[in-house]
Amino acid sequence: MSEGGPKPSSSVKLVLLGEAAVGKSSLVLRFVNDDFQENKEPTIGAAFLTQKCNLPNRTIKFEIWDTAGQERFASLAPMYYRNAQSALVVYDLTKASSLTKAKHWVAELQRQASPGIVIALVGNKLDLTTQSTGLEGSMGGLSLSAAANSGADGDDDEEEEDARQVTTAEAKGYAEEEGLLFYETSAKTGHNVSEVFTAIANAIPESTLKTRGGPGTGRGGAGGSSGDTFGGTGGVNLSAAGETNKDACAC
Amino acid sequence: MLSLSSLISKASSLIDPNMLPPSLLNQVNGSSNDGQTPGFLFRSNFRLPDSENPLAVIPCELSLPTGEHYFGRLHLSESFLCFSSSAPSSAAGTSSATTSTAGPSSCGFSLPLVAIRRVERLHSRSYLFALAVTTWHNDQKLTLQFNSLRSTCEKFCEALKKNLRSQMSEMKNLRMLVGSCYSEWLVSGGKIREGMKEEPDAGLGMVWRYPGDAKKLRDKSKMRLWAEYLRENGRNITLIRQPTFHKLIRVGLPNRLRGEIWELTSGSLYRRLYNPTLYTDTLTEFSGRHSLSIDEIEKDLNRSLPEYPGFQSEEGIGRLRRVLSAYSWKNPDVGYCQAMNIVVAALLIYMSETQAFFLLSTLCDRLVPGYYSQTMYGTLLDQRVFESLVEKTMPILWEHLVKSDVQLSVVSLPWFLSLFINSMPLVFAFRVLDVFFLEGPKVLFQVGLAILRINGEELLDVTDDGAFISILKNYFLRLDESAHPRSDNEKLRAVTRFQELMVVAFREFSGITEQTILDQRLRHKDSVLSSIESFAKRTTLRNLGPESKRLLTADLGYIYDRFYKVLYERQERLLAIEAEKERINEKKVVSSGRSISEKSINEKGRIGLGPSSQLMDYDYFREFLAGIAKWAIADSPSSLFSPGFEPTFGRKKSILLSPWGDNAEPADHEFMQRLFRRWDTDYRSGLSLQDVVAGLAGIKGKKDIMESISYFFELYDDDGDGKVDREGILRISEALLFITRRGWETPPGIGAQDPKSPEGGKGNTDPFLGSVSGFIRRCFEYADPDQEGKQEEIATGVEGMDELVDLLDLASDDDDDEDDDDEESVKSPVNEKGPANDISSGKGKEKPDLAINTGNRRPSAMSANAALDPANPLHITLPTFRMIVLADEVLEYFFESGFAESIVLSTDVPRTPGGRSISGPSAFGNFGNGNIAGAKGLRGVLDNIVNDGMRVAQEVRRRMDEAQKEMERNAVPGKYKDDDEEEGDAKSIMEQDRDLLKGAEAAVVDEAAKLAKPDPAAADEDEGSGSTSDHRGENLLTISPSKANAEPMTPGGISPRVEFDIKTPRDF
């Protein structure tokens, strides 16, 4: 989908953080190779991958640091998020505790990572919930998440009951508060995956890019402070999902 | 002068490593508790279990049945006989000990004594002392010719004989072990031997194939070579390592023997020998149990070497699950760390579950210490070591990396953590492992360095992490290709990149020895731990939950430091005490000490090493409180003369034998127990940092006096029904006095306004005494009777009241001070609380007039005294409590700020206790004044009671107890009397003197305290929270704070008279 003329290209360091087995590596695998593996080996330390993302007026080359999720690896994280311009903090929609962990990561990043880092909060494993658009989740309200919490562990996903433990409203509310991008994704189906990366690419302020791009501004008003960004992309999440889909990125 | 000091500093720099505390050394080495001591080196050289110690050593010549001769040293430990040849080329005697087993050109063995069948003294040449040793595998006979003084030889033999005898019992284990070894099967040519039912388990590979092409790996020829070696040089338990052994390993182990040789060279075989059932026992013991580790393991089972078909099967996954779970149970401090799944999965391809279990523990304890721990400090430490080695050996590359801001550990960390298993193709990773188990952790460094060296040129062109990683990734994928594809020399062309890697690793980096690594680890350890600790602190503080927001960040940091300081210092002290005890009742050396986890005990003391315990029990809590609140320090001699309550943390080991170290001994008061229970929100009998922070936030984070009052009230509302009964009221007053007994910051204008109190202001408890006594009186005055109590009152009211008045009047005449100390305090009736509908009983709850000298004094006083009758249960509610507190400006101030300020965190300006850490003379200064003379009759009695709240607290309780006892015995209403003012006065001055003399005359005090039988503290103990009482011997000479304060009356004076009253009811 890339156009003929050479566009300015710049690389962006992106780090993935989140609890173990929420699907960080799978998201990357989907984004980079458009692939999915049921049993992905846990990441030891961190994995490094790259992928380009074509925006209308520039090309972003993501240098992706995919980190290990287990709690005790947390002390290694600073090594990986050092100098990162963007971060994907991932939680598992079907596991309430993973959102808590995600919040910890957000707090860590906000205080310790480079100032102005663009953070996206991503709820993964949308395929395990009964609704896959992520919109209805907000209607379930708190009672839904409470019920899921008290229920059996998250492994009962294939039951007729919804495995979702984190409502869209809850996570979105939090993201809004903190000025984060927010998406619910499925690495398995590919739902919303490239959108996340595109949104991040758009949200990176041009001033922080290594290679200066042209004078044009980012699409759709993106590119301001992270607070502004949220307003713009909150809509993209739901309405623009179909349009932006795969073509946004050169996967 | 100058030169001298420089000389000293030079000298100390030379001996520096030895000056480090031993604990530090242990941590570096991971397992043994004596660091790089001879014992540690000995065990690590011969791969012996931690229970082994070098007992004797003798120069000796070893002659093998195959004809070789080696000079070296023979070592004897509790259950091993070990030999290492002195490497001919190696320089001095010192290095021979460290390089012996690892050096490829040397010979050696580690022979478990139980594997020795017979030892004969050879008489061939009389001037020589020689032994012939027949090992378990009969075909072997070793000749050991000692080169030493005859007496030394004799002594060695004597010790050997003794140890041999003690090892007889292990014979059964030996048989079991040998039966499970593949080498036996191999040597017997695949025939079933005695004790061998079937081919021993050589891992999943037997069923699911071993990785790599067996033909290409020349597995069959390797097998033949090994069979020959094992036949000639013994096998498994009796194997002798000759130079060929090293060569055989360097070319790669054959598949079916790989597991066993790994086991043997790492030394995990010996662990298995002495703990034959540990693995299965552990599985049985913990079957069905759950833990965080188990959950984490489950998550990763399906993703451990998923491409290997064995791990797509239930069988393979089951094995993996069992080994990882068993280890996580056995060593909960490590639990489970990602990467262990990959390592264990790899092991399981070549060995049985049991073998893998023991090899995993050898890995974690000895080979890669701290790699998989909670904080992964070992991983980070070795990364630092690796970086420094790169800097040293490849300065140009290093400089380039620094310049281009490429972080080396980003690529190298996974190498170390997964032992190259998920970096290289499996076949090659296993080749590295072959050498790694033989030669130790230095191999990881050598290989790592070689990888960088080989790719150096390319890496120099790289400017970012990404390119750096991809070069190496590519390199790993092409390890099987020719290293010199364009060479004319055919031989050179045949050399694969992997072979090249091995050559570079072990030739070019042969200078990297085990000792290099140990030294480097030691050098970087502190900075690595500190950075882990500051990270941990930052993260923890941030995630303490909403409660923590009520405290200042600086305070949180302070609490954090205090919390872990107390936790670890105390653990260390307890360990030291334990060790001391151990040393005292020594003597059971051999049989114990082979369990896997016990060595990890010594790995404590720093957060960076991984938290061993995150919970404070009550004793820790006391110590913690004593550091932040002076009221929590015991009134013992030791703390009396310690410089205030300012935390003093010099870590002098000399005082280690006190469980409190050189910190002030904490008090033990019922109030502290209540706090502990209140803060222990999860009922774990332990407080987490979060509990402590939330708890302190509850006290210090309150800005509102109402909240503060409620907090206190709730502490005493045991069943949460919004009422505090008589017992609780008394306890509240005790607690108030306890907290303020060392004085507290009174606001200007309060307390000082009393001209009678000499000092006023700071450190003055005077106003508080009055306030507390007033508090008690008002509590009883405004308490709501419970319903049953009310009826009772109606029934017995008149008579009881009259009696009471009589008694009170008469009592003042009573001078009897008959001495009788076998008074027993009886518990007051357990709260017989009525329904809460009597709140409205309205005994002037809203009555604003609390003045003392009013006309309606008598009725109210009477009702207050009626309230003393245990037959009339009563309670106060929170509103009542609040009203009573607010009616007194001293109490009001206390709840407003005094209580919160009595706990000093970082931001508070520490108050100087002014050297007077006990309530000074002013505490009882009022006694001399006042209305003693005219103190006859009820009114006088009351006035005097008001003068001394502590006395009231005690007295009231005793009366209740007495009355209760009386009623139980005689079913006759209790009699009351009051004490004689003058006497009480005199006694309390003595009391105050006693306080001052406490240090010097502890024994006397103790005696006095014993006399003070009817004492609230004793009652507390009866109520069975258990920890109230002082069990520790060293506390015999101290009094508990409650005794010292809540009960200041001289015991001799009061109890006898009460006794008298009971014995003579209605005599008046």
Side-chain angles (χ1 to χ4, degrees):
Chain A
M1 120 118 206
S2 55
E3 295 126 42
K7 284 184 291 184
S9 162
S10 45
S11 50
V12 165
K13 179 170 175 184
L14 181 142
V15 61
L16 275 98
L17 297 165
E19 201 180 75
V22 295
K24 294 180 293 301
S25 302
S26 295
L27 281 172
V28 178
L29 188 68
R30 173 63 71 189
F31 176 58
V32 172
N33 292 340
D34 196 15
D35 191 11
F36 181 76
Q37 286 176 14
E38 202 65 57
N39 294 319
K40 190 108 183 49
E41 276 200 30
T43 310
I44 304 304
F48 178 82
L49 299 101
T50 57
Q51 174 65 302
K52 281 194 186 114
C53 189
N54 279 322
L55 301 180
N57 59 333
R58 63 185 181 186
T59 302
I60 299 278
K61 183 189 169 207
F62 277 116
E63 296 174 350
I64 302 168
W65 288 97
D66 175 20
T67 65
Q70 202 189 6
E71 181 72 38
R72 63 186 74 188
F73 283 80
S75 59
L76 310 182
M79 189 157 84
Y80 301 113
Y81 65 62
R82 194 180 62 118
N83 299 333
Q85 292 138 288
S86 56
L88 223 64
V89 177
V90 188
Y91 67 94
D92 179 347
L93 285 170
T94 66
K95 203 168 165 239
S97 67
S98 67
L99 180 62
T100 314
K101 185 68 204 163
K103 289 178 179 174
H104 291 174
W105 278 124
V106 170
E108 165 88 9
L109 287 171
Q110 284 173 340
R111 276 178 230 196
Q112 303 294 332
S114 347
I117 185 171
V118 175
I119 305 174
L121 179 70
V122 174
N124 193 30
K125 307 198 185 178
L126 191 60
D127 52 286
L128 295 181
T129 66
T130 47
Q131 325 91 333
S132 50
T133 64
L135 183 61
E136 296 87 327
S138 58
M139 301 194 288
L142 290 171
S143 58
L144 176 63
S145 88
N149 273 332
S150 56
D153 46 353
D155 288 358
D156 309 348
D157 1 88
E158 306 305 337
E159 312 262 325
E160 69 278 67
E161 273 310 301
D162 191 355
R164 181 191 278 271
Q165 286 191 4
V166 180
T167 64
T168 309
E170 182 191 355
K172 193 173 168 183
Y174 165 74
E176 228 158 310
E177 250 171 60
E178 300 290 333
L180 316 172
L181 300 164
F182 172 69
Y183 284 90
E184 289 188 343
T185 62
S186 165
K188 192 170 186 174
T189 65
H191 178 83
N192 256 350
V193 174
S194 57
E195 283 80 352
V196 176
F197 289 90
T198 311
I200 288 178
N202 275 315
I204 302 284
E206 278 189 41
S207 55
T208 68
L209 295 176
K210 283 176 193 163
T211 318
R212 279 288 164 92
T217 54
R219 181 183 58 161
S225 76
S226 48
D228 293 339
T229 314
F230 180 77
T233 49
V236 173
N237 179 15
L238 304 169
S239 58
E243 309 148 30
T244 36
N245 215 356
K246 298 280 176 225
D247 7 29
C249 288
C251 320
Chain B
M1 198 58 191
L2 201 85
S3 64
L4 181 68
S5 66
S6 77
L7 205 73
I8 288 170
S9 75
K10 205 174 221 170
S12 63
S13 76
L14 282 175
I15 53 171
D16 198 33
N18 303 323
M19 291 178 68
L20 286 158
S23 59
L24 209 68
L25 283 157
N26 306 339
Q27 291 144 9
V28 172
N29 304 316
S31 53
S32 76
N33 55 9
D34 41 12
Q36 294 191 40
T37 59
F40 168 78
L41 290 173
F42 170 72
R43 284 189 291 275
S44 106
N45 279 336
F46 293 104
R47 311 288 194 259
L48 303 183
D50 286 333
S51 53
E52 299 302 308
N53 292 293
L55 300 178
V57 60
I58 197 165
C60 149
E61 184 188 352
L62 168 70
S63 307
L64 297 175
T66 46
E68 285 90 352
H69 299 276
Y70 295 95
F71 287 97
R73 286 156 169 267
L74 190 67
H75 304 255
L76 179 71
S77 72
E78 287 85 351
S79 35
F80 282 85
L81 188 66
C82 307
F83 177 82
S84 63
S85 71
S86 31
S89 57
S90 115
T94 48
S95 63
S96 73
T98 55
T99 57
S100 55
T101 49
S105 60
S106 66
C107 167
F109 60 74
S110 305
L111 196 58
L113 293 179
V114 65
I116 295 176
R117 279 190 198 268
R118 189 188 306 162
V119 180
E120 296 158 274
R121 172 88 186 271
L122 294 179
H123 289 289
S124 51
R125 279 178 289 177
S126 57
Y127 58 91
L128 281 177
F129 197 104
L131 298 179
V133 175
T134 313
T135 64
W136 174 259
H137 295 106
N138 251 329
D139 27 15
Q140 254 184 321
K141 206 168 208 175
L142 318 172
T143 313
L144 298 162
Q145 189 177 305
F146 295 169
N147 304 322
S148 188
L149 291 173
R150 190 159 200 96
S151 61
T152 318
C153 301
E154 298 278 9
K155 224 191 237 162
F156 190 94
C157 287
E158 209 44 53
L160 174 62
K161 210 191 287 174
K162 189 176 131 243
N163 290 359
L164 273 171
R165 216 169 285 132
S166 72
Q167 287 295 304
M168 300 283 276
S169 54
E170 305 282 350
M171 195 59 92
K172 200 176 77 225
N173 294 342
L174 178 75
R175 260 198 205 99
M176 263 166 70
L177 181 89
V178 169
S180 69
C181 286
Y182 196 86
S183 54
E184 296 294 324
W185 178 267
L186 179 67
V187 166
S188 69
K191 270 170 268 153
I192 286 165
R193 267 201 186 179
E194 55 142 338
M196 283 184 115
K197 306 246 158 27
E198 54 189 8
E199 190 172 2
D201 189 352
L204 293 167
M206 292 175 83
V207 179
W208 307 98
R209 307 179 53 89
Y210 295 98
D213 180 352
K215 218 177 232 163
K216 231 169 107 190
L217 294 170
R218 303 188 59 196
D219 202 61
K220 279 227 173 86
S221 0
K222 285 177 184 169
M223 221 44 166
R224 278 193 294 271
L225 288 170
W226 273 100
E228 186 187 285
Y229 184 87
L230 297 174
R231 226 171 270 133
E232 287 174 0
N233 295 285
R235 49 204 165 268
N236 46 69
I237 219 75
T238 66
L239 185 125
I240 290 162
R241 296 180 297 268
Q242 292 207 63
T244 323
F245 180 74
H246 296 258
K247 277 185 209 145
L248 282 170
I249 290 176
R250 279 281 172 85
V251 300
L253 287 163
N255 290 329
R256 297 193 176 211
L257 216 45
R258 184 166 258 153
E260 186 185 316
I261 302 296
W262 282 354
E263 235 197 330
L264 181 62
T265 51
S266 68
S268 74
L269 182 77
Y270 307 125
R271 293 185 184 219
R272 187 157 70 94
L273 168 66
Y274 293 111
N275 301 280
T277 58
L278 181 64
Y279 176 65
T280 43
D281 290 351
T282 307
L283 284 178
T284 321
E285 184 183 348
F286 293 96
S287 94
R289 302 255 296 265
H290 276 275
S291 73
L292 176 65
S293 296
I294 299 298
D295 292 346
E296 289 178 328
I297 291 168
E298 284 299 324
K299 264 187 207 164
D300 289 347
L301 286 175
N302 285 320
R303 34 192 213 143
S304 314
L305 300 188
E307 70 275 16
Y308 181 75
F311 293 110
Q312 289 156 22
S313 75
E314 245 335 289
E315 172 64 17
I317 286 173
R319 288 189 186 200
L320 185 60
R321 175 188 288 119
R322 288 188 292 270
V323 173
L324 290 172
S325 315
Y327 186 75
S328 81
W329 292 123
K330 219 52 222 166
N331 191 351
D333 283 353
V334 168
Y336 167 73
C337 176
Q338 288 187 330
M340 279 164 82
N341 62 326
I342 293 173
V343 171
V344 172
L347 300 183
L348 282 171
I349 297 179
Y350 294 100
M351 51 172 55
S352 70
E353 286 172 54
T354 317
Q355 288 175 307
F357 170 76
F358 284 102
L359 188 47
L360 176 63
S361 53
T362 303
L363 266 171
C364 294
D365 292 343
R366 181 172 291 171
L367 291 168
V368 289
Y371 270 37
Y372 307 123
S373 73
Q374 293 280 344
T375 59
M376 302 181 69
Y377 71 90
T379 307
L380 292 167
L381 177 58
D382 274 5
Q383 286 310 301
R384 187 73 62 82
V385 170
F386 185 59
E387 282 172 358
S388 79
L389 291 177
V390 171
E391 184 180 2
K392 214 186 269 175
T393 57
M394 286 170 271
I396 297 172
L397 177 64
W398 175 252
E399 212 171 284
H400 174 73
L401 294 181
V402 172
K403 220 186 290 161
S404 20
D405 200 23
V406 171
Q407 209 161 350
L408 183 60
S409 47
V410 151
V411 329
S412 58
L413 186 137
W415 298 351
F416 286 77
L417 200 55
S418 68
L419 311 175
F420 291 105
I421 294 168
N422 77 343
S423 309
M424 292 182 189
L426 281 183
V427 252
F428 300 122
F430 291 134
R431 292 281 306 276
V432 174
L433 280 186
D434 291 343
V435 190
F436 166 72
F437 286 122
L438 177 69
E439 300 187 15
K442 67 163 182 147
V443 170
L444 300 178
F445 292 91
Q446 289 172 314
V447 172
L449 290 170
I451 292 170
L452 297 182
R453 163 71 45 91
I454 291 169
N455 294 283
E457 302 239 330
E458 270 185 89
L459 294 177
L460 278 175
D461 296 334
V462 153
T463 51
D464 64 293
D465 303 302
F468 193 78
I469 288 180
S470 66
I471 287 176
L472 296 173
K473 218 183 216 172
N474 262 322
Y475 171 71
F476 287 134
L477 289 176
R478 292 159 56 215
L479 277 175
D480 56 340
E481 294 173 11
S482 166
H484 312 279
R486 269 167 253 144
S487 169
D488 292 336
N489 186 336
E490 197 178 323
K491 260 193 182 162
L492 213 54
R493 244 181 301 150
V495 173
T496 64
R497 285 162 162 263
F498 180 76
Q499 286 168 322
E500 179 195 40
L501 175 65
M502 298 296 265
V503 169
V504 173
F506 302 122
R507 197 159 289 163
E508 278 195 48
F509 294 101
S510 58
I512 311 286
T513 65
E514 218 50 47
Q515 196 59 45
T516 318
I517 307 301
L518 288 177
D519 292 346
Q520 290 281 333
R521 280 180 182 167
L522 203 57
R523 176 177 311 164
H524 296 285
K525 175 156 184 124
D526 247 354
S527 73
V528 168
L529 283 183
S530 314
S531 73
I532 293 174
E533 279 159 12
S534 67
F535 177 84
K537 182 173 174 180
R538 204 172 73 210
T539 315
T540 312
L541 292 185
R542 195 178 304 135
N543 301 329
L544 277 176
E547 283 296 314
S548 67
K549 304 282 185 290
R550 303 171 66 171
L551 294 172
L552 296 168
T553 320
D555 283 348
L556 288 176
Y558 182 77
I559 296 170
Y560 179 93
D561 292 341
R562 282 285 316 160
F563 182 86
Y564 283 108
K565 191 159 210 161
V566 167
L567 215 55
Y568 288 128
E569 284 192 352
R570 188 162 167 77
Q571 258 165 27
E572 253 175 42
R573 280 200 299 275
L574 294 182
L575 276 175
I577 291 169
E578 204 59 35
E580 191 62 35
K581 274 189 205 149
E582 196 99 330
R583 205 175 311 144
I584 288 163
N585 24 325
E586 273 276 76
K587 289 307 162 214
K588 39 169 202 165
V589 191
V590 179
S591 57
S592 69
R594 283 194 180 120
S595 98
I596 288 189
S597 58
E598 70 172 47
K599 67 198 56 68
S600 60
I601 281 172
N602 292 300
E603 291 217 326
K604 301 195 166 135
R606 284 194 74 159
I607 301 163
L609 295 173
S612 42
S613 163
Q614 298 274 37
L615 292 184
M616 261 186 189
D617 67 12
Y618 179 60
D619 279 341
Y620 287 66
F621 176 66
R622 288 167 58 202
E623 192 174 335
F624 175 80
L625 275 186
I628 56 172
K630 58 182 167 179
W631 46 260
I633 298 173
D635 303 321
S636 66
S638 65
S639 70
L640 192 65
F641 296 113
S642 79
F645 77 105
E646 211 57 24
T648 50
F649 292 115
R651 295 174 63 183
K652 276 182 274 164
K653 300 277 175 189
S654 54
I655 324 182
L656 269 180
L657 279 185
S658 151
W660 314 109
D662 49 1
N663 299 332
E665 178 176 332
D668 183 7
H669 189 269
E670 201 244 0
F671 175 69
M672 292 161 73
Q673 293 167 25
R674 282 186 186 269
L675 268 189
F676 182 78
R677 265 177 272 141
R678 164 87 180 246
W679 292 10
D680 181 16
T681 44
D682 297 331
Y683 307 106
R684 291 180 287 196
S685 303
L687 303 182
S688 67
L689 177 65
Q690 193 155 354
D691 291 333
V692 169
V693 166
L696 284 171
I699 295 173
K700 289 204 68 87
K702 284 193 163 61
K703 293 281 169 273
D704 181 359
I705 182 171
M706 287 308 176
E707 261 183 281
S708 179
I709 293 173
S710 313
Y711 188 89
F712 217 84
F713 184 83
E714 282 159 20
L715 269 183
Y716 286 87
D717 181 11
D718 287 328
D719 45 9
D721 63 353
K723 299 182 215 164
V724 168
D725 62 2
R726 173 185 289 114
E727 183 72 16
I729 292 169
L730 294 176
R731 289 190 188 284
I732 289 178
S733 47
E734 280 165 23
L736 292 175
L737 291 170
F738 169 70
I739 295 168
T740 55
R741 74 190 191 284
R742 289 170 199 281
W744 58 299
E745 191 88 334
T746 40
I750 297 184
Q753 70 196 2
D754 183 356
K756 282 176 201 152
S757 76
E759 280 108 331
K762 244 186 197 185
N764 191 354
T765 46
D766 264 2
F768 218 82
L769 288 177
S771 297
V772 171
S773 57
F775 166 78
I776 297 172
R777 191 170 48 74
R778 285 170 197 143
C779 277
F780 287 134
E781 198 168 326
Y782 301 116
D784 303 308
D786 282 357
Q787 208 158 49
E788 303 96 302
K790 232 165 152 186
Q791 286 159 1
E792 188 111 357
E793 192 180 21
I794 291 162
T796 63
V798 180
E799 195 193 353
M801 204 66 89
D802 288 347
E803 250 174 65
L804 202 72
V805 174
D806 285 351
L807 264 175
L808 287 168
D809 278 336
L810 291 167
S812 51
D813 295 331
D814 193 348
D815 247 285
D816 200 336
D817 59 354
E818 181 188 337
D819 192 23
D820 194 339
D821 57 15
D822 63 0
E823 200 75 9
E824 281 210 24
S825 63
V826 178
K827 272 191 282 178
S828 64
V830 194
N831 332 338
E832 2 166 350
K833 291 216 166 86
N837 60 0
D838 53 353
I839 297 172
S840 57
S841 67
K843 266 205 203 141
K845 229 190 299 172
E846 275 78 45
K847 192 167 69 179
D849 180 14
L850 292 166
I852 288 173
N853 292 315
T854 53
N856 59 352
R857 152 137 228 146
R858 189 177 164 99
S860 81
M862 272 173 56
S863 74
N865 280 291
L868 304 182
D869 184 354
N872 296 330
L874 53 79
H875 63 260
I876 54 168
T877 58
L878 179 56
T880 316
F881 181 68
R882 241 184 235 152
M883 180 197 71
I884 293 169
V885 166
L886 294 178
D888 183 301
E889 63 172 337
V890 176
L891 285 180
E892 182 184 344
Y893 182 75
F894 175 79
F895 283 103
E896 179 89 51
S897 61
F899 180 42
E901 279 166 13
S902 73
I903 294 173
V904 183
L905 301 178
S906 64
T907 46
D908 302 316
V909 183
R911 265 163 259 288
T912 38
R916 201 182 55 169
S917 53
I918 52 163
S919 39
S922 65
F924 300 91
N926 274 356
F927 266 88
N929 325 310
N931 25 23
I932 303 154
K936 298 286 175 193
L938 184 60
R939 183 179 184 163
V941 167
L942 277 169
D943 285 342
N944 285 302
I945 285 177
V946 168
N947 275 343
D948 184 353
M950 290 196 282
R951 195 195 311 171
V952 174
Q954 184 201 5
E955 195 66 358
V956 164
R957 165 169 319 227
R958 177 166 33 248
R959 287 178 193 182
M960 284 167 44
D961 292 344
E962 291 310 328
Q964 174 71 13
K965 202 199 274 174
E966 188 69 4
M967 279 181 1
E968 277 167 4
R969 273 189 209 146
N970 312 335
V972 169
K975 302 235 155 191
Y976 297 96
K977 75 174 295 300
D978 190 56
D979 26 315
D980 178 65
E981 259 51 65
E982 282 155 273
E983 185 171 357
D985 191 29
K987 291 283 155 95
S988 51
I989 288 167
M990 275 173 61
E991 166 71 16
Q992 145 208 150
D993 295 341
R994 191 182 65 176
D995 270 354
L996 292 171
L997 291 173
K998 218 181 285 171
E1001 299 186 11
V1004 180
V1005 169
D1006 183 44
E1007 223 174 273
K1010 262 190 235 152
L1011 290 175
K1013 259 312 174 48
D1015 122 20
D1020 288 351
E1021 286 165 24
D1022 290 344
E1023 264 158 44
S1025 67
S1027 43
T1028 325
S1029 53
D1030 282 331
H1031 310 290
R1032 290 168 298 280
E1034 57 270 35
N1035 281 356
L1036 277 177
L1037 294 185
T1038 70
I1039 3 169
S1040 80
S1042 50
K1043 283 178 189 165
N1045 295 278
E1047 187 226 4
M1049 298 303 293
T1050 341
I1054 292 164
S1055 36
R1057 272 185 290 112
V1058 176
E1059 172 72 2
F1060 174 80
D1061 282 344
I1062 285 171
K1063 280 181 178 163
T1064 57
R1066 294 175 166 277
D1067 261 1
F1068 308 96

